Amino acid sequence: MKRTLVSAAAITAAIGLALTGCSGAPAQQDDDGPVTLSVSVWNMEQTPEFQALFDAFEKANPDITIEPVDILADDYSEKVTTMLAGGDKTDVLTMKNVTDYARYANRGQLLDVSDVVESLGADNLAGIEPFDLDGEYFSVPYRQDFWLLYYNKGLFDAAGVEYPDHISWDEYKSLAEQLTGETGGQKVFGTYHHYWRSVVQAIAAAQTGGDLLSGDYGFMEDQYSLALDLQTGGNALDFGTAKTQQISYRTMFETGQAAMMPMGTWYISGIAAAIESGASTVDWGVAPMPQIDAGDETVTFGSPTAFAVNKNSEHQDAAKKFLEFAAGEEGAKAIAAIGVVPAFSSDDVTAAFTALPTDDLSVTTFSEPKDVVLEMPVSEYSSDISTILDEEHELIMVGDTSIPDGIATMDERVTGDVLE
């Protein structure tokens, strides 16, 4: 499978240019006494991993207090970009995806943390590869997610259909049609596709060998046909409603309005917390992502999440101490205990991961070998191309353009506006 992972030489060259233009380093505060360390996060209350990490870190480092900078998830990338452009001094920045990482590193806005990676051992950190910029690291992954299929066992049982064990996309569509109906006066959709473009584009790229940076997007056609057929048939909530009303995927699944839902492993902690608190009573499980052809081989996509130190931080030593803790074994055990998949692996971390349902299909989905393709390849073009793909995705999904015309426009814009 041909993949473009990192255009390291080009990015490194750009970093050098950016750093040349930087002014002097920020004055460092004394980190030996009590320190308040600011950390950017998103949707703090709905993302329990942050509090778990902060509590564990503060317990191990009583002289350092974490002050979260909470930002709406949908606004996170834009907000952090604006903060950094304005010289903001937030100490630690959560890298929501590698596209943002490439953008900030390319602009010389992140501190070199290669010594933290060396201390932890790159071989111990899953998902470290996209952060390697010619041997230097400006961020350290603490979480490594991949996408799978959540399903509501109660709705499957009520419909009398078997659980979605290693199914094809054709079988997935058939199940969605069978599971669509009404329960207790509430509409139930056979599945829910969130409005992110990766739900269509990244899975198409991963399973066909397509390249999201190529300017040639014909490989997306079948996946778009599936997504539009599902919403046209009323078996999935339509994109326009989900987008304009900012529908929460958690609400759709946790209230039993969707029988299936492709989503990342980060949601395990969210649904587990909802069950524990009594906010949801859904009997749930996970299955491998559907494939073009049903079988034991699983190809899906995923992305690491990382922490970086702001180049303008006035507490860089304390910030690096936080990175080393969060990405290391103690941080990994703290988030594994609530159902988040850490980047750091060890036997103790595996033992701490107990939020997953214990049925055979859920356990197999996690433990079996799988090919996890990076959600968006990293290059100096990733951000610009991502913007174009987002715009054309929305036009296709709301029906303002046909699938062939939308794909042709993606080809034309990416090739003409970015690659040439």
Side-chain angles (χ1 to χ4, degrees):
M1 181 177 292
K2 182 178 182 297
R3 303 297 309 158
T4 302
L5 292 178
V6 182
S7 181
I11 293 177
T12 303
I15 290 171
L17 291 174
L19 291 176
T20 300
C22 288
S23 58
Q28 293 300 294
Q29 303 296 314
D30 184 1
D31 286 351
D32 289 337
V35 174
T36 297
L37 202 62
S38 54
V39 181
S40 68
V41 301
W42 59 85
N43 291 7
M44 181 82 178
E45 288 190 3
Q46 297 180 17
T47 317
E49 72 200 53
F50 292 126
Q51 194 63 60
L53 274 176
F54 299 163
D55 289 346
F57 178 74
E58 289 177 341
K59 183 177 181 180
N61 298 272
D63 285 345
I64 303 178
T65 300
I66 299 295
E67 182 178 80
V69 179
D70 197 4
I71 300 170
L72 286 174
D74 287 344
D75 299 337
Y76 186 80
S77 295
E78 183 178 353
K79 180 70 173 178
V80 172
T81 299
T82 302
M83 289 163 55
L84 290 174
D88 182 88
K89 296 181 179 179
T90 298
D91 299 297
V92 176
L93 304 165
T94 311
M95 297 289 104
K96 200 173 182 183
N97 55 61
V98 292
T99 302
D100 289 343
Y101 167 71
R103 177 190 300 125
Y104 305 143
N106 185 44
R107 294 173 181 172
Q109 294 170 321
L110 307 178
L111 188 71
D112 185 342
V113 292
S114 300
D115 54 340
V116 177
V117 173
E118 183 178 356
S119 174
L120 293 170
D123 291 343
N124 293 322
L125 298 171
I128 188 68
E129 295 83 5
F131 299 98
D132 181 352
L133 301 182
D134 200 22
E136 293 183 314
Y137 297 89
F138 298 84
S139 190
V140 188
Y142 71 95
R143 200 179 92 186
Q144 172 62 32
D145 290 297
F146 62 90
W147 279 58
L148 35 67
L149 183 66
Y150 293 80
Y151 66 99
N152 182 320
K153 294 178 182 177
L155 292 174
F156 270 75
D157 292 343
V161 295
E162 294 185 358
Y163 297 157
D165 186 354
H166 295 85
I167 60 174
S168 68
W169 287 110
D170 287 340
E171 292 168 328
Y172 170 78
K173 181 182 177 184
S174 176
L175 280 174
E177 292 168 350
Q178 294 176 66
L179 291 160
T180 297
E182 184 175 310
T183 298
Q186 173 179 269
K187 166 80 176 184
V188 174
F189 294 95
T191 190
Y192 175 71
H193 288 183
H194 204 47
Y195 44 78
W196 301 325
R197 67 173 175 78
S198 288
V199 177
V200 175
Q201 297 180 358
I203 196 61
Q207 294 186 351
T208 67
D211 186 346
L212 291 169
L213 302 180
S214 67
D216 182 0
Y217 299 111
F219 63 84
M220 298 178 182
E221 185 166 349
D222 288 347
Q223 211 63 26
Y224 270 117
S225 293
L226 170 70
L228 291 178
D229 284 350
L230 286 169
Q231 70 175 27
T232 300
N235 305 308
L237 183 66
D238 70 277
F239 178 92
T241 299
K243 178 76 173 180
T244 57
Q245 297 185 14
Q246 292 289 292
I247 296 294
S248 163
Y249 65 82
R250 291 190 55 163
T251 298
M252 290 296 295
F253 192 74
E254 290 166 22
T255 59
Q257 296 180 68
M260 298 184 288
M261 183 175 71
M263 189 53 62
T265 49
W266 65 82
Y267 181 47
I268 290 173
S269 64
I271 181 67
I275 300 296
E276 184 177 359
S277 70
S280 175
T281 58
V282 167
D283 184 10
W284 63 287
V286 293
M289 279 288 278
Q291 304 292 303
I292 295 173
D293 297 310
D296 292 334
E297 182 181 359
T298 298
V299 181
T300 185
F301 69 95
S303 183
T305 307
F307 288 117
V309 178
N310 186 350
K311 196 73 174 291
N312 287 327
S313 167
E314 295 178 343
H315 299 286
Q316 293 180 357
D317 288 344
K320 290 171 75 170
K321 181 180 289 187
F322 174 77
L323 262 63
E324 187 159 3
F325 179 91
E329 185 169 42
E330 294 308 310
K333 287 193 289 188
I335 63 174
I338 61 169
V340 174
V341 182
F344 189 96
S345 60
S346 72
D347 290 343
D348 286 346
V349 171
T350 300
F353 192 83
T354 58
L356 189 71
T358 56
D359 62 90
D360 289 345
L361 180 54
S362 296
V363 173
T364 299
T365 298
F366 244 78
S367 60
E368 68 179 2
K370 59 186 71 64
D371 185 2
V372 181
V373 178
L374 188 62
E375 181 172 0
M376 183 68 182
V378 179
S379 85
E380 69 265 47
Y381 305 126
S382 298
S383 180
D384 291 338
I385 291 175
S386 182
T387 298
I388 292 171
L389 297 183
D390 272 331
E391 292 171 353
E392 298 305 325
H393 171 70
E394 184 165 337
L395 293 174
I396 292 174
M397 291 305 298
V398 299
D400 280 358
T401 187
S402 68
I403 295 172
D405 288 348
I407 289 175
T409 304
M410 289 182 204
D411 293 351
E412 181 181 344
R413 291 185 63 193
V414 169
T415 301
D417 298 349
V418 181
L419 300 180
E420 292 184 350

